[in-house]
Amino acid sequence: MEFTRIILKPMHTEKTFAMQNGTPKRLAFFVEPKATKNDIKIAFASIYGITPDAIATQNRKPAAVRSGTKNPGFSKLQKIAIITLPQDADLSNTNLGEEQVANAINAGTSTAELENLTPALSNLEENGKQVEVVAVKKEIDSTKVHAAKKTVAAKKEVHATKKTADVKEEVKE
């Protein structure tokens, strides 16, 4: 399992905000349901650069959901990880990619340079800076689509010229 896909998103509720401000400081995340505590610990350390003191997990079982039919549907299985940070830990210095992405947007960099910043973009998504990230990703995607359309058009031209060359050869024979 890839460590970048273990921590899905932070959990924002009144209870989790109280845990963040308390001592010891705790953070809550939705995680991949198949992830173990050790996987979550390694993923958190690789993303934030801080090794957690303790990890507690909870499984939320699927609940019946009304769907307006005879047979009810079910919600998705969710796993929640509550991560206890060390006393001296500070997460305010973990937004290292934010400055890089802002400078890249303001400088009007090329798509190749923006693609090199994708690790920074994923860090910003997790830290709640989705507006800038979406704008940059749309720009990257639109340039990729434009480049793909150009290559498809070039291939069609080559194919068409081959066909016309084949037809001309058949006519000559």
Side-chain angles (χ1 to χ4, degrees), residues 107-162:
T109 58
S110 67
T111 57
E113 293 173 357
L114 288 174
E115 286 179 5
N116 291 336
L117 293 175
T118 51
L121 293 176
S122 62
N123 282 344
L124 288 180
E125 279 184 344
E126 292 167 2
N127 293 327
K129 305 287 185 190
Q130 279 112 5
V131 175
E132 294 174 7
V133 173
V134 168
V136 171
K137 282 192 174 181
K138 282 184 181 177
E139 184 176 332
I140 291 171
D141 291 341
S142 65
T143 53
K144 283 183 183 177
V145 168
H146 186 63
K149 285 181 181 178
K150 281 185 177 180
T151 56
V152 168
K155 286 181 182 178
K156 283 182 180 179
E157 278 185 40
V158 170
H159 188 67
T161 55
K162 284 182 182 178

Side-chain angles (χ1 to χ4, degrees), residues 10 23-24 27 32 39 41 50 56 69 74 82 92 111 115 119 123 126 140:
T23 53
L27 303 172
E32 180 66 32
D39 291 341
K41 183 176 185 177
I50 298 171
T69 62
F74 287 90
I82 299 171
S92 63
T111 57
E115 286 179 5
N123 282 344
E126 292 167 2
I140 291 171

